[in-house]
Amino acid sequence: MSDLPQRIAPPRILLVEDDTDIARLICLHLENIDAEVEHSDRGDDALQLALSGHWDLVVLDLRLPGINGLDICRHLRQQGRQVPILMLTAKTSELDRVLGLELGADDYLGKPFSPLEIVARVKALLRRAAISHALQEHDELLHQDEAPIELGPFTICTRSHQVTLNGKPTELTSREFDFLLHFVRQPGRVFRRAELLDEVWGYGHEGYEHTVNTHINRLRRKIEVNPGAPEHIVTVWGVGYRFQTAT
């Protein structure tokens, strides 16, 4: 029996993997946790599937015929699809892992991996997504009559998930918006990475701090004049991050 959060329907997972044996093994173990798995072995076909339906998770190999996994991830994020993405990479391919996270992947798993490990990662991502969705719904209900938050050059509307910076609209992903909103509600507080995982994702786990760093870097590129010398989301060395409206 699955120990995933209770949901009306089984989670739908899109598996994109061109190695038949690996794909068969992954499908077998994911079906054992009551997931509905659809498999694609080509990148171009997988992209169409990912864009045409609702998925709770995409398990995405990088080396694919047609379109590679990095391009699929890029297309999904550019289209505003916030489905969790677990990338499968070669153990030695650090550049691919970094690029994947920069493009918006939620986690990565290096090959070769054990079936138990991929099942654990999938469960963790599904659990994080379910908790995040519940927290977002609760937050929207709690703040449905809340006026836009104005702090320094930022105006943030919680109902519409819109952000303006110095009067100009700023396009953020759902996760980037969550990060910024969490910061501006507690300006000056120093957040450890583990706290941000727990409070923004609703999930904390040692080893996921790289995900926080990646999302912080992406957010800085969108809201800072000079991301290399940030004025708003500043690093407190050896501790974490703090939000401020001016240096």
Side-chain angles (χ1 to χ4, degrees), residues 3-45:
D3 59 357
L4 294 173
Q6 293 297 314
R7 48 172 83 223
I8 296 174
R12 298 190 70 231
I13 299 175
L14 176 60
L15 170 63
V16 189
E17 168 62 65
D18 65 331
D19 186 302
T20 303
D21 291 335
I22 293 176
R24 184 181 299 114
L25 185 64
I26 293 174
C27 285
L28 177 65
H29 283 83
L30 294 185
E31 287 168 357
N32 283 340
I33 62 170
D34 300 328
E36 293 182 359
V37 184
E38 185 158 350
H39 171 231
S40 177
D41 59 3
R42 287 190 57 87
D44 44 3
D45 294 338

Side-chain angles (χ1 to χ4, degrees), residues 47-60:
L47 179 59
Q48 293 304 313
L49 279 171
L51 291 172
S52 63
H54 169 77
W55 303 97
D56 295 295
L57 177 69
V58 175
V59 179
L60 180 62

